[in-house]
Amino acid sequence: MAKLPKESPVVLIMAGGKGERFWPRSRTNSPKQLQKVYSNKTLLRETIDRALTITSLDRIYIGTNATLKAEILKKDPKFPSTNFILEPEGKNTAPIIALSALYFQKKFGNPNLIVLSADAFIDPIKEFTKTIEQALYETENGMVLLGVKPNRPEVGYGYISTGKPTDVGYTVKAFFEKPDFKTALKYIKKKNFYWNPGIFLFRTETILSELERHAPHILNPLKNGFPFKSFGDLKTAFQMLPSEAIDTAIMEKSNRIRMVEATFNWDDVGSWMSLERILPGDKEKNHHQGKEVLYHKASGNISSVQKELIAFLGVKDLIVVEEPDVLLVTSREGVGDIKAMLSTMRKNKVLQKYLD
């Protein structure tokens, strides 16, 4: 087995998303990663604290935009103001990872780079730390991603199928996009199928080499202008780039991929529905976040409210979210239409203020 590198890894936390499916708590200028969703910490702070178990604060960077940088520093003023990789516009994960790799190569040489998202639920942290430490062994052999053993037929996640065992993980045979329910049922019955939580580890030189090989249309406009003399120059370069995920740009094309099985519980905090998997529930499958709650002949409800008491009487499968200026009441079936509803609200001048 290769030796674990003595040099601490660099961590890039992806925190540029809008989080629309968590409206009304998540807004344009303060999206879900800056909100307290399942604990007394913001999702971003949860992720930073997680990262601190594997590296030091000076080697943790946040990938986001200029507006959110200001909001992040308001909520977390002790975070180093220089440790941001700013993108002029959101173009999925491949461009920001390419830009970050160029920056880290110049600053640190060839460090191990760990990419995390700011909107995940992970528990317990000690198992997260242990899994990352194991996965770092594999970065000498290529790019590494973590895999989570499925516990349900989830149609909202991507899947990985593994091949032969390696020192601490497996080779990767194939990636599968979000399946339908029938296909997901087949996947979870196979021992070598895993969820893809989007946690990546690689040497900086490795990811740059693979970008050069598989996605020069993303790397070259950034590499040719790097280091950029102004944010305007970076903006011009970004305009040339496609909006593409690192998964399709690199991971699904490379033959240098390894997977290490996660030993922690993981959930993508993607919508209000995810709270039923994170928050404790009663025997009628009601899940509540707030002060007091009363259920009478009620089942399958999810609530996150600020009132002293919320009472559910004779209703089922409702989602209720309260903010100081907005009350959202939806059915489980309807919650999937939040983005469409927000699109309608943007066209109404009276309602636009509730989006920012």
Side-chain angles (χ1 to χ4, degrees):
M1 182 182 291
K3 292 183 179 179
L4 188 64
K6 293 181 179 179
E7 182 188 28
S8 295
V10 177
V11 173
L12 174 67
I13 300 173
M14 310 292 281
K18 295 179 180 179
E20 290 184 322
R21 289 180 294 171
F22 260 96
W23 185 86
R25 185 155 305 155
S26 181
R27 311 285 178 99
T28 301
N29 296 323
S30 191
K32 69 175 179 181
Q33 56 268 32
L34 302 186
Q35 301 298 326
K36 299 173 183 178
V37 175
Y38 59 79
S39 74
N40 61 357
K41 300 178 185 178
T42 67
L43 290 177
L44 178 57
R45 188 67 236 183
E46 289 274 2
T47 311
I48 293 170
D49 287 350
R50 229 172 273 139
L52 284 170
T53 70
I54 52 179
T55 195
S56 54
L57 183 61
D58 61 304
R59 296 173 79 87
I60 298 173
Y61 286 74
I62 297 174
T64 188
N65 59 62
T67 300
L68 290 186
K69 174 185 176 180
E71 292 299 319
I72 289 168
L73 290 175
K74 282 182 184 178
K75 289 181 178 288
D76 203 340
K78 293 184 179 180
F79 189 83
S81 61
T82 55
N83 284 24
F84 285 83
I85 306 294
L86 298 182
E87 53 183 354
E89 58 181 306
K91 291 218 165 175
N92 216 309
T93 53
I96 187 69
I97 289 176
L99 177 62
S100 300
L102 289 169
Y103 179 84
F104 297 141
Q105 182 186 54
K106 185 174 186 296
K107 185 172 178 64
F108 299 110
N110 185 30
N112 271 310
L113 172 57
I114 301 170
V115 180
L116 306 175
S117 64
D119 57 357
F121 170 79
I122 289 175
D123 184 71
I125 290 181
K126 66 178 182 179
E127 291 300 321
F128 165 81
T129 308
K130 185 174 78 173
T131 302
I132 292 293
E133 289 175 347
Q134 288 289 303
L136 284 171
Y137 282 108
E138 286 283 8
T139 60
E140 300 304 315
N141 301 315
M143 297 185 292
V144 186
L145 47 82
L146 301 189
V148 175
K149 203 63 182 169
N151 57 18
R152 64 182 185 278
E154 177 59 62
V155 300
Y157 299 162
Y159 288 72
I160 308 160
S161 68
T162 58
K164 296 179 180 179
T166 61
D167 281 349
V168 296
Y170 302 90
T171 59
V172 172
K173 290 176 64 176
F175 292 86
F176 299 89
E177 292 303 314
K178 299 173 183 178
D180 57 33
F181 185 77
K182 186 176 180 181
T183 305
L185 276 174
K186 293 179 181 178
Y187 288 171
I188 66 171
K189 293 177 182 178
K190 298 183 178 182
K191 292 183 179 180
N192 68 326
F193 269 64
Y194 295 80
W195 285 333
N196 180 4
I199 299 175
F200 307 106
L201 306 89
F202 30 66
R203 286 284 190 179
T204 302
E205 287 183 1
T206 304
I207 185 61
L208 289 173
S209 173
E210 292 298 283
L211 282 162
E212 186 75 57
R213 181 180 181 186
H214 299 290
H217 58 291
I218 292 174
L219 178 63
N220 289 343
L222 297 171
K223 187 177 180 180
N224 293 340
F226 191 86
F228 292 93
K229 295 180 180 179
S230 69
F231 196 68
D233 290 341
L234 176 60
K235 185 176 181 180
T236 300
F238 250 68
Q239 290 172 347
M240 302 169 61
L241 306 180
S243 179
E244 191 168 359
I246 196 68
D247 305 70
T248 56
I250 302 296
M251 297 297 168
E252 294 178 9
K253 298 174 182 176
S254 176
N255 61 1
R256 301 182 65 191
I257 309 294
R258 301 287 186 270
M259 192 213 78
V260 172
E261 182 175 344
T263 57
F264 50 81
N265 297 314
W266 170 87
D267 207 295
D268 173 31
V269 187
S271 74
W272 290 111
M273 289 292 292
S274 61
L275 291 188
E276 72 175 345
R277 299 188 296 270
I278 297 172
L279 299 178
D282 64 11
K283 63 181 182 180
E284 297 298 328
K285 298 182 179 179
N286 295 298
H287 300 264
H288 175 65
Q289 183 182 57
K291 296 180 181 177
E292 295 295 332
V293 63
L294 173 65
Y295 299 111
H296 186 79
K297 297 182 179 179
S299 63
N301 299 291
I302 301 171
S303 51
S304 180
V305 300
Q306 301 177 19
K307 289 283 189 293
E308 292 292 327
L309 170 69
I310 181 171
F312 289 86
L313 174 60
V315 295
K316 65 178 182 178
D317 298 339
L318 290 183
I319 298 173
V320 180
V321 181
E322 180 197 14
E323 289 295 296
D325 58 342
V326 176
L327 178 67
L328 170 69
V329 181
T330 178
S331 64
R332 284 172 174 259
E333 292 76 15
V335 75
D337 291 326
I338 281 185
K339 284 189 175 183
M341 182 182 71
L342 298 187
S343 180
T344 300
M345 290 175 65
R346 287 190 191 95
K347 300 172 185 177
N348 187 319
K349 292 183 179 180
V350 176
L351 300 180
Q352 285 176 2
K353 65 180 181 180
Y354 300 107
L355 301 176
D356 296 332

